[in-house]
Amino acid sequence: MKQLIECVPNFSEGRDLSIIKQITDVIESVKGIRLINVDPGHATNRTVVTFVGEPEFVGEAAFRAIERASELIDMRYHKGEHPRFGATDVCPLVPVSDITMEETVEYARLLAKRVGNELNIPVYCYEYAAYEEKRRSLANCRSGEYEGLAEKMQTAEWMPDFGPTVFNARSGATAIGARNFLIAYNINLNTTSVRLANAIAFDVREAGRLQREGDPLTGKISTDENGEPVRIPGTLKKVRAIGWFIKEYGIAQISMNLTDITVTSVHEAFEEVCERARDRGIRVTGSELVGMIPLQAMLDAGKYFLRKQHRSVGIPDREIIKIAVKSLGLDELTPFDPENRIIECLLKNSGKQRCEKIQSIVRGKIG
Amino acid sequence: MKQLIECVPNFSEGRDLSIIKQITDVIESVKGIRLINVDPGHATNRTVVTFVGEPEFVGEAAFRAIERASELIDMRYHKGEHPRFGATDVCPLVPVSDITMEETVEYARLLAKRVGNELNIPVYCYEYAAYEEKRRSLANCRSGEYEGLAEKMQTAEWMPDFGPTVFNARSGATAIGARNFLIAYNINLNTTSVRLANAIAFDVREAGRLQREGDPLTGKISTDENGEPVRIPGTLKKVRAIGWFIKEYGIAQISMNLTDITVTSVHEAFEEVCERARDRGIRVTGSELVGMIPLQAMLDAGKYFLRKQHRSVGIPDREIIKIAVKSLGLDELTPFDPENRIIECLLKNSGKQRCEKIQSIVRGKIG
């Protein structure tokens, strides 16, 4: 199996699509890179680009994109609703296939060093690529945003990891990191009730729900000795979740981000939601993957359901994937085409097909 | 609400479609009758026709169809794999909407009398319309088939209820009856295993499974004092069920006939199968209605799921139906269009649309 990394740079331009096109063109100019998604936001004035490839080529494509963005985007004139501090605001690398997080961190740091040295842009390394604990958090690195950057960079605490120690007014700064693959995953319910969907979401998500005195919905929020609200954690680690109503389909969903599928996998999230929904008289009718999923996650899901049936897992991958799709009900709302949704399958086809804008990931984002 | 009866005559011709067309034409010539399905079988040389309408018109349409069949079909030349004893072999009336079984029986007997008197065809009244217990069973009425009819009619025991007491060689005899609405209903599983599907089917169907000594699959069949095999009944009354594999969808189903939804409703069958499937590590992923369903059955299902969620059932019918469709997963394999699948909705549209051959009911039949 080839080593694969996904790269999800966010550029501070979401309105002028000709600029975005010039950036994605340089990404696609690199050998073997597959552009998976381009998701511009008007209000945020920001575009999320997703591409995948072998590590060296991903590094090269990311470098060229950051370079092109520094030529085309001028942060002195940027306005938008999303926090940001640079033309290329963030650039996370994500291990997808046959590669460890440690190796991915090395590629992220190599990229960071090159961007700092060759493009004269201050770079902060974050999440798994961070050199110190407080820089793991992207929010910490970016606090104060572009407008506060010149001053922040002068403090010893926030000297960039790479690049100039003086403010680059045109490009701002870029956070480059390594993080786990994030799966945007929605579970469909046989109800229109957002209240019920939220109740189940709060049962399972790591952040749980606020503890209240008396009535669990309207009672006074409990606080600890420091006056901080007390939370009752949910059952699933590394899971963010809320309930919402999807007008298009006329049903409520639990919309989840699975931020580390080595801790909570897709099928574990599904099964737990089925159980908690059941407790509340609700039936899970299917589910929906927003964006891409690694092959291994699909195979793990299929094998889990086969084992539960005491059936052999020694069947072809495509049969295992089929069991996963049927068991999770991934085709309930829209057809699920493994060729276009499983990262490894998509890449196999990259010679044949040009990039299309796949389903927008906007709906999968949780604040 | 209008009174509605469904009529499901079976004609002893399944190969010459021009003959079938002439019969369905006279059915459709009657005011307000909606032809719902025409299902010819080559091997059986038999066609099952389904139509619906108000009681008097259904009686008239059935009479005209039996008359036309007696002109076009000559039983002396009929061969086919299905038991039969007449040109119009059976003609059951089924209460569908706002009508009791007692009233339906009256319409069936009126039809029987008219066919006997005006068409000179011997008629046996069966199921709810039977005048004596042993004639309730269609199999009893038809035993000996066409070939044995001349002799059988001479016995006092099997004198027809209506019509001539002498053999009509051309038309044979017709069984006219009243029975409950039968729903052909398939439940989809997340497995390819027919063995597992059958295990669940045997858990729930009224006929259950054969009791065996030792190994439940291969052990010697237990017998009672009369040497009859002993059966362990399943959990659902008035339900026939088997497991099968649907190549088209690549999954196993439990294929059911619900023969009295006042005893076991669609949603009760679904819920019980979900539970028994769960016991065996299987997930029910959705289900499939083959043919038509009465509105009330859909409303009952929707309300059942709403109540289970502690939600109000005081919402518009179309919303209740939507909850039923989503909860039962009726649209998992093919889109479920209430307008064309709920009998009352279909009839409302009958002015606009001509009859189409809706999904064949062949797959829904269980031997």
Side-chain angles (χ1 to χ4, degrees):
Chain A
M1 215 183 242
K2 270 198 304 199
Q3 287 195 318
L4 288 178
I5 282 181
E6 184 190 59
C7 181
V8 194
N10 291 208
F11 301 100
S12 291
E13 174 60 63
R15 295 167 192 172
D16 184 342
L17 296 185
S18 72
I19 288 177
I20 297 306
K21 179 69 166 56
Q22 291 176 66
I23 294 171
T24 57
D25 279 350
V26 300
I27 291 171
E28 290 194 282
S29 71
V30 176
K31 182 190 149 191
I33 291 297
R34 178 74 187 239
L35 188 59
I36 285 180
N37 194 43
V38 179
D39 185 21
H42 187 88
T44 57
N45 195 12
R46 178 186 186 87
T47 297
V48 180
V49 174
T50 307
F51 62 92
V52 164
E54 293 183 67
E56 286 84 356
F57 301 120
V58 165
E60 178 61 26
F63 179 81
R64 290 189 198 175
I66 294 169
E67 181 179 40
R68 202 87 187 87
S70 75
E71 294 158 9
L72 298 169
I73 300 170
D74 190 333
M75 286 304 290
R76 285 170 292 189
Y77 309 108
H78 184 269
K79 290 206 174 344
E81 284 174 15
H82 196 285
R84 80 286 176 268
F85 70 167
T88 300
D89 190 52
V90 296
C91 184
L93 301 189
V94 179
V96 161
S97 180
D98 210 33
I99 188 165
T100 65
M101 181 57 81
E102 290 65 37
E103 292 172 276
T104 308
V105 163
E106 288 311 305
Y107 285 108
R109 288 174 172 174
L110 275 173
L111 173 64
K113 186 173 181 181
R114 201 177 157 202
V115 168
N117 292 349
E118 300 181 29
L119 302 179
N120 200 41
I121 296 171
V123 178
Y124 295 93
C125 290
Y126 77 106
E127 290 221 6
Y128 286 91
Y131 288 96
E132 45 181 309
E133 192 55 33
K134 70 168 179 291
R135 296 194 181 189
R136 291 182 77 90
S137 153
L138 175 62
N140 283 351
C141 293
R142 201 166 51 191
S143 71
E145 295 194 41
Y146 172 79
E147 288 73 12
L149 185 60
E151 193 177 330
K152 183 176 179 179
M153 280 177 66
Q154 300 313 311
T155 65
E157 198 186 346
W158 286 105
M159 216 172 74
D161 292 311
F162 295 101
T165 54
V166 292
F167 181 56
N168 176 335
R170 183 175 172 81
S171 299
T174 298
I176 295 177
R179 64 160 169 80
N180 280 308
F181 193 84
L182 179 152
I183 291 186
Y185 182 56
N186 302 327
I187 297 184
N188 315 325
L189 306 178
N190 71 334
T191 187
T192 57
S193 168
V194 175
R195 187 183 58 74
L196 280 167
N198 260 322
I200 299 164
F202 298 170
D203 287 345
V204 303
R205 69 181 186 183
E206 185 164 10
R209 54 167 54 81
L210 291 168
Q211 188 175 306
R212 290 172 188 271
E213 294 160 23
D215 188 285
L217 283 174
T218 58
K220 187 171 161 284
I221 293 167
S222 310
T223 49
D224 62 16
E225 58 268 34
N226 304 317
E228 294 293 320
V230 178
R231 302 191 76 92
I232 310 163
T235 48
L236 299 174
K237 303 289 179 209
K238 303 290 181 186
V239 170
R240 300 199 286 264
I242 53 164
W244 63 21
F245 178 77
I246 302 293
K247 215 173 160 191
E248 187 183 355
Y249 303 118
I251 51 133
Q253 282 184 330
I254 297 167
S255 176
M256 312 179 106
N257 278 350
L258 311 181
T259 61
D260 187 347
I261 53 172
T262 66
V263 175
T264 297
S265 64
V266 171
H267 57 274
E268 285 164 346
F270 180 81
E271 289 282 80
E272 178 65 12
V273 167
C274 285
E275 287 301 311
R276 297 288 76 77
R278 200 175 134 88
D279 294 345
R280 293 178 181 274
I282 301 283
R283 177 172 165 84
V284 167
T285 59
S287 63
E288 185 184 37
L289 274 168
V290 182
M292 307 299 296
I293 184 168
L295 177 61
Q296 195 56 50
M298 289 296 288
L299 294 176
D300 288 348
K303 286 177 185 171
Y304 164 81
F305 288 108
L306 285 166
R307 287 198 187 98
K308 204 171 159 185
Q309 301 167 12
H310 308 291
R311 300 266 290 164
S312 167
V313 297
I315 59 175
D317 280 2
R318 65 170 186 285
E319 298 295 324
I320 296 174
I321 290 167
K322 165 117 199 180
I323 292 294
V325 171
K326 296 310 293 181
S327 300
L328 299 168
L330 289 177
D331 51 5
E332 189 195 3
L333 299 181
T334 53
F336 181 89
D337 177 11
E339 294 294 313
N340 281 309
R341 306 299 294 280
I342 296 174
I343 296 170
E344 289 86 345
C345 300
L346 189 72
L347 288 168
K348 231 185 298 175
N349 300 331
S350 63
K352 280 175 268 168
Q353 301 167 242
R354 284 277 297 168
C355 163
E356 307 132 291
K357 187 175 170 185
I358 296 168
Q359 191 177 7
S360 159
I361 62 163
V362 172
R363 269 183 51 208
K365 280 186 211 144
I366 295 169
Chain B
M1 213 182 242
K2 272 197 303 198
Q3 287 196 318
L4 288 178
I5 282 180
E6 184 191 60
C7 181
V8 194
N10 291 208
F11 300 101
S12 291
E13 175 60 64
R15 295 168 192 171
D16 185 342
L17 296 186
S18 72
I19 288 176
I20 298 307
K21 180 69 168 55
Q22 291 177 67
I23 294 171
T24 58
D25 278 352
V26 301
I27 291 170
E28 291 194 282
S29 72
V30 177
K31 184 192 147 191
I33 291 296
R34 178 75 186 239
L35 188 59
I36 285 179
N37 193 42
V38 180
D39 184 21
H42 187 88
T44 57
N45 197 11
R46 176 185 188 87
T47 298
V48 181
V49 174
T50 307
F51 62 92
V52 165
E54 292 183 67
E56 286 83 357
F57 300 120
V58 165
E60 178 62 26
F63 179 81
R64 290 190 199 174
I66 295 168
E67 181 180 39
R68 202 85 187 88
S70 75
E71 293 159 10
L72 297 169
I73 300 170
D74 190 333
M75 286 304 288
R76 285 172 292 188
Y77 309 108
H78 183 270
K79 290 206 176 343
E81 284 175 14
H82 195 286
R84 80 284 177 269
F85 71 166
T88 301
D89 190 53
V90 297
C91 183
L93 301 189
V94 179
V96 162
S97 180
D98 211 32
I99 188 165
T100 64
M101 182 56 82
E102 291 64 37
E103 292 172 277
T104 308
V105 163
E106 288 311 305
Y107 285 107
R109 287 174 173 175
L110 275 173
L111 173 64
K113 187 174 179 179
R114 199 174 160 205
V115 167
N117 292 349
E118 299 182 30
L119 302 179
N120 200 41
I121 297 171
V123 178
Y124 295 92
C125 290
Y126 78 106
E127 289 220 8
Y128 286 90
Y131 289 96
E132 45 181 308
E133 192 54 34
K134 70 167 178 291
R135 295 192 182 190
R136 292 182 76 90
S137 153
L138 174 62
N140 283 351
C141 294
R142 200 166 50 191
S143 71
E145 297 194 41
Y146 172 79
E147 289 73 10
L149 185 60
E151 192 176 332
K152 183 175 179 179
M153 280 176 65
Q154 300 313 312
T155 65
E157 197 185 346
W158 286 104
M159 217 171 72
D161 292 311
F162 296 101
T165 53
V166 292
F167 182 55
N168 176 334
R170 184 175 172 84
S171 299
T174 299
I176 295 177
R179 63 160 169 81
N180 281 306
F181 194 85
L182 179 152
I183 291 186
Y185 182 55
N186 302 328
I187 298 184
N188 315 327
L189 306 178
N190 71 335
T191 186
T192 56
S193 168
V194 176
R195 186 182 60 74
L196 280 167
N198 259 323
I200 299 164
F202 297 170
D203 287 346
V204 302
R205 69 180 188 186
E206 186 164 8
R209 54 166 55 81
L210 291 168
Q211 187 175 306
R212 290 171 188 271
E213 294 161 23
D215 187 286
L217 283 175
T218 58
K220 186 171 161 284
I221 294 167
S222 310
T223 50
D224 64 15
E225 59 269 33
N226 302 318
E228 293 293 319
V230 179
R231 301 191 77 91
I232 311 163
T235 48
L236 298 174
K237 303 287 177 209
K238 302 291 181 185
V239 170
R240 300 199 287 264
I242 53 164
W244 64 22
F245 178 77
I246 302 293
K247 212 173 161 189
E248 188 182 354
Y249 303 118
I251 51 134
Q253 281 184 330
I254 296 167
S255 176
M256 310 178 107
N257 279 348
L258 310 181
T259 61
D260 187 347
I261 53 173
T262 66
V263 175
T264 297
S265 64
V266 172
H267 57 275
E268 285 164 346
F270 180 81
E271 289 282 80
E272 178 65 13
V273 167
C274 285
E275 288 301 310
R276 297 288 77 77
R278 201 176 133 87
D279 295 344
R280 294 178 181 273
I282 300 283
R283 178 171 164 83
V284 166
T285 59
S287 63
E288 185 184 36
L289 274 168
V290 182
M292 308 298 296
I293 184 167
L295 176 62
Q296 195 56 52
M298 288 297 287
L299 295 175
D300 288 348
K303 286 176 184 172
Y304 164 81
F305 289 107
L306 285 166
R307 287 198 186 97
K308 203 170 159 185
Q309 301 167 14
H310 308 291
R311 301 267 289 163
S312 167
V313 298
I315 59 175
D317 280 2
R318 66 170 185 286
E319 298 295 325
I320 296 174
I321 290 167
K322 166 117 198 179
I323 291 294
V325 171
K326 296 309 293 181
S327 300
L328 299 168
L330 289 177
D331 51 4
E332 188 195 4
L333 299 181
T334 52
F336 181 88
D337 176 12
E339 294 294 314
N340 280 310
R341 306 300 294 281
I342 296 173
I343 295 168
E344 289 85 345
C345 300
L346 189 72
L347 288 168
K348 231 186 300 176
N349 300 331
S350 63
K352 281 175 270 169
Q353 301 167 243
R354 284 277 299 169
C355 162
E356 308 133 290
K357 186 176 169 182
I358 296 166
Q359 190 177 6
S360 159
I361 62 163
V362 172
R363 268 182 53 208
K365 280 188 213 142
I366 295 170

